[in-house]
């Protein structure tokens, strides 16, 4: 993509790729490659939106250190954790929800326009090392994937 013929700047490119991916994930508020997340709370009233989608699965839920049985909750479309009856913790942040999110295990699992936005960002960072920044084109490609949390 950058038309580089040598491997002299591989370390720099690796760093730029990582920075571009992290920026894109932060901008979109999504997980691209499979990742494990844990969030803590004191209560799940009925439904809880899980941040950094797309959520692949709920790995575990503990309440005050005790596992919540799998038949007490479900993962609904749009990355919503649903509990059959409200769950309350007696300790601060006593509910721990561990889940797996992301499009898949490889870059090819990530939607093409997200990958293109990352490539554009890497190119911009490489060509403008002093100023950096993310182009309007890259942001435009990421816009449909942005998650806004209330």
């Amino acid at each position: 993509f950058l038309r580089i013929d040598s491997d002299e700047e591989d370390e720099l490119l690796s760093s730029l790729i990582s920075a571009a991916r992290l920026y894109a994930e932060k901008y979109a508020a999504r997980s691209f490659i499979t990742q494990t997340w844990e969030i803590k709370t004191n209560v799940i009233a009925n439904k809880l939106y899980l941040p950094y989608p797309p959520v692949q699965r709920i790995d575990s839920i503990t309440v005050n250190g005790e596992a919540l049985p799998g038949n007490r909750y479900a993962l609904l479309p749009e990355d919503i954790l649903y509990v059959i009856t409200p769950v309350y913790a007696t300790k601060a942040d006593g509910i721990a929800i561990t889940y797996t999110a992301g499009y898949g295990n490889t870059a090819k699992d990530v939607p093409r326009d997200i990958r293109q936005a990352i490539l554009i960002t890497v190119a911009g960072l490489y060509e403008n090392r002093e100023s950096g920044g993310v182009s309007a084109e890259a942001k435009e490609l990421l816009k449909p994937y942005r998650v806004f949390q209330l």
Side-chain angles (χ1 to χ4, degrees):
F1 190 77
L2 294 175
R3 298 183 181 140
I4 298 172
D5 295 330
S6 70
D7 59 1
E8 292 175 13
E9 297 184 300
D10 282 359
E11 190 174 323
L12 170 65
L13 289 172
S14 179
S15 175
L16 295 177
I17 291 167
S18 180
R21 180 189 56 82
L22 289 171
Y23 171 82
E25 283 184 325
K26 185 175 179 180
Y27 181 81
R30 288 188 173 270
S31 301
F32 296 157
I33 301 294
T34 300
Q35 310 172 25
T36 300
W37 287 93
E38 180 181 76
I39 60 170
K40 294 188 176 189
T41 187
N42 293 329
V43 63
I44 307 172
N46 226 188
K47 295 179 183 177
L48 177 67
Y49 169 77
L50 296 172
Y52 310 109
V55 177
Q56 296 175 11
R57 70 180 172 274
I58 307 293
D59 298 320
S60 68
I61 300 176
T62 58
V63 181
N64 300 318
E66 299 289 323
L68 188 67
N71 64 356
R72 298 258 329 264
Y73 61 88
L75 179 61
L76 299 179
E78 299 186 24
D79 308 298
I80 296 172
L81 169 64
Y82 170 77
V83 291
I84 294 170
T85 56
V87 179
Y88 301 94
T90 57
K91 303 175 187 175
D93 289 336
I95 300 172
I97 303 155
T98 305
Y99 63 97
T100 301
Y103 290 102
N105 294 326
T106 68
K108 290 188 186 245
D109 296 322
V110 178
R112 184 174 300 212
D113 40 356
I114 291 174
R115 294 192 323 252
Q116 187 65 33
I118 292 170
L119 286 172
I120 290 169
T121 301
V122 169
L125 293 171
Y126 182 78
E127 292 169 8
N128 303 301
R129 297 176 199 194
E130 297 83 26
S131 60
V134 177
S135 71
E137 293 85 3
K139 288 181 180 179
E140 199 62 36
L141 286 167
L142 293 170
K143 272 186 186 178
Y145 296 94
R146 285 189 84 182
V147 176
F148 295 97
Q149 299 179 18
L150 304 174

